[in-house]
Amino acid sequence: MPSGRTRQFDLDEALDRALEVFWARGYEGATLPALTKAMGINRPSLYAAFGNKEQLFRKALDRYQTGPQSFLTEALAKPTARAVVEAIFAGFVRMQRDRDKPRGCLIVSGALAGGEEAETVRRELARLRQAAVSTLRERFERAVQDGDLPAGTDCATLARYITTVLNGLAVQAASGATEKELRLVAALVMQAWPS
């Protein structure tokens, strides 16, 4: 005879709902009552299935990276550095189309500010933002070696520039910028592409 009660909810669906709450409200703004209500479960079920709030956030963050933000991985496979950046901007703008989902970027807005409770989350999101810069820098360095970008291109600054614009687009999207406005900013960035 099995011990305990069987789970009466879908883990993936509950995690998707938690992701939406964190994405819309940030780490500290996502209260346990808001999370449990959106997930359709009670606190004991949340703790049993996902651990504490920070563990739930980390699982939601993983889901975000393999779900809504998966366009980044796809973009990095493009054959040229320019195509990589164009695909990143296009993927970000596509992600903003879904009006049923929060706007902006969870990694940018999830925990930029807050109290001590969010310190480890803030550090993790900062690490992920820095990892994006490093990944782009490495891709651009490869492009220089392949002759795709001009010799002497400052790959570190170019990577930081692209991620800075992308982070700014996330803030603009969260503030209500339209898809057209986001696309126009991305197009302006591409006019300054090194040649």
Side-chain angles (χ1 to χ4, degrees):
M1 180 175 218
S3 63
R5 295 173 51 189
T6 58
R7 196 170 279 139
Q8 300 294 317
F9 62 93
D10 182 282
L11 283 170
D12 289 330
E13 188 176 314
L15 186 56
D16 286 340
R17 300 298 77 80
L19 167 58
E20 290 176 15
V21 174
F22 284 124
W23 194 353
R25 298 182 180 193
Y27 178 74
E28 286 189 319
T31 62
L32 285 173
L35 287 163
T36 55
K37 181 179 179 185
M39 296 166 78
I41 61 176
N42 60 28
R43 279 187 193 202
S45 294
L46 184 150
Y47 293 133
F50 300 104
N52 64 24
K53 179 180 170 182
E54 183 175 334
Q55 291 167 321
L56 174 61
F57 179 80
R58 289 178 185 279
K59 288 175 178 143
L61 185 57
D62 289 342
R63 175 71 124 234
Y64 176 76
Q65 292 175 288
T66 59
Q69 201 183 44
S70 63
F71 66 86
L72 285 176
T73 303
E74 296 164 12
L76 288 168
K78 297 292 182 187
T80 66
R82 182 183 181 99
V84 166
V85 173
E86 288 173 336
I88 289 171
F89 286 140
F92 177 80
V93 171
R94 271 193 317 275
M95 186 173 75
Q96 305 309 309
R97 284 184 187 156
D98 189 349
R99 296 296 177 184
D100 293 336
K101 302 279 187 223
R103 307 243 357 227
C105 174
L106 176 61
I107 294 173
V108 172
S109 62
L112 284 176
E116 290 180 18
E117 173 194 355
E119 183 57 32
T120 58
V121 170
R122 216 173 17 261
R123 281 196 310 265
E124 175 64 12
L125 294 178
R127 186 195 65 75
L128 289 172
R129 289 190 299 272
Q130 184 55 46
V133 173
S134 297
T135 299
L136 278 178
R137 187 198 74 239
E138 291 166 8
R139 178 62 183 87
F140 295 158
E141 288 169 349
R142 199 166 66 245
V144 169
Q145 291 171 355
D146 294 344
D148 176 39
L149 280 174
T153 298
D154 183 345
C155 297
T157 299
L158 181 59
R160 190 160 302 283
Y161 170 61
I162 296 301
T163 56
T164 298
V165 172
L166 189 60
N167 293 345
L169 288 175
V171 172
Q172 289 295 307
S175 300
T178 66
E179 182 180 339
K180 180 180 179 182
E181 290 168 335
L182 299 173
R183 275 190 283 113
L184 287 171
V185 171
L188 185 61
V189 170
M190 296 316 297
Q191 287 177 16
W193 189 254
S195 55

